[in-house]
Amino acid sequence: PCPASPANVERAAASHLAGRACEDRAAEFLEAQGLRLLWRNYRCRAGELDIVGELGGLLLVVEVRMRSSQRYGGAAASITRAKRLRIVRATRHLLACHRELQRRPVRFDAVLVSGPSGAIEWLKAAFDAA
């Protein structure tokens, strides 16, 4: 493969920083709503979970999505079926490794950060494991 051009490397770094800042904002927002944060960026072979926390007896698995425009359907549209399957597989891995969490019902939420204003929208029960 060809090495990445300096411009592409710079764009990728800027995108990574923006994504990290978006996840920071989402975590702060959820904690202000009462979420007890357990993990950020839980990684395993099956995939990655952006935010995992507890809220009112539920184990919340939260996908954080950012879109700068609605051109391709906005942030919610970017959570594809394949992405949902990876999240569910990673959640199964998490529960297998941390059996103390298996007693809690799991809910899959999404926090969407959209547009130039960075407006936050919390979609509770955004999808299920089926």
Side-chain angles (χ1 to χ4, degrees), residues 23-43:
E23 287 182 4
D24 290 344
R25 287 194 59 221
E28 290 170 8
F29 170 82
L30 291 169
E31 286 178 309
Q33 306 303 309
L35 180 84
R36 186 170 78 86
L37 187 64
L38 299 176
W39 283 277
R40 295 243 342 240
N41 304 110
Y42 176 86
R43 287 182 177 89

Side-chain angles (χ1 to χ4, degrees), residues 13-110:
S15 178
H16 177 75
L17 287 175
R20 187 74 180 167
C22 179
E23 287 182 4
D24 290 344
R25 287 194 59 221
E28 290 170 8
F29 170 82
L30 291 169
E31 286 178 309
Q33 306 303 309
L35 180 84
R36 186 170 78 86
L37 187 64
L38 299 176
W39 283 277
R40 295 243 342 240
N41 304 110
Y42 176 86
R43 287 182 177 89
C44 65
R45 174 175 267 174
E48 178 183 352
L49 305 175
D50 292 336
I51 296 174
V52 179
E54 296 175 315
L55 180 66
L58 293 172
L59 181 68
L60 295 188
V61 176
V62 182
E63 176 67 8
V64 179
R65 303 304 287 180
M66 177 180 69
R67 284 285 172 97
S68 57
S69 77
Q70 298 293 320
R71 184 182 314 166
Y72 299 106
S78 70
I79 305 173
T80 63
R81 183 180 191 299
K83 179 67 175 173
R84 292 190 302 267
L85 289 173
R86 283 193 300 274
I87 292 168
V88 169
R89 281 195 297 270
T91 301
R92 288 184 180 137
H93 180 274
L94 172 75
L95 293 173
C97 293
H98 298 277
R99 293 191 172 162
E100 71 278 8
L101 299 175
Q102 292 177 0
R103 294 185 300 263
R104 292 182 180 84
V106 177
R107 188 175 80 194
F108 296 97
D109 289 1

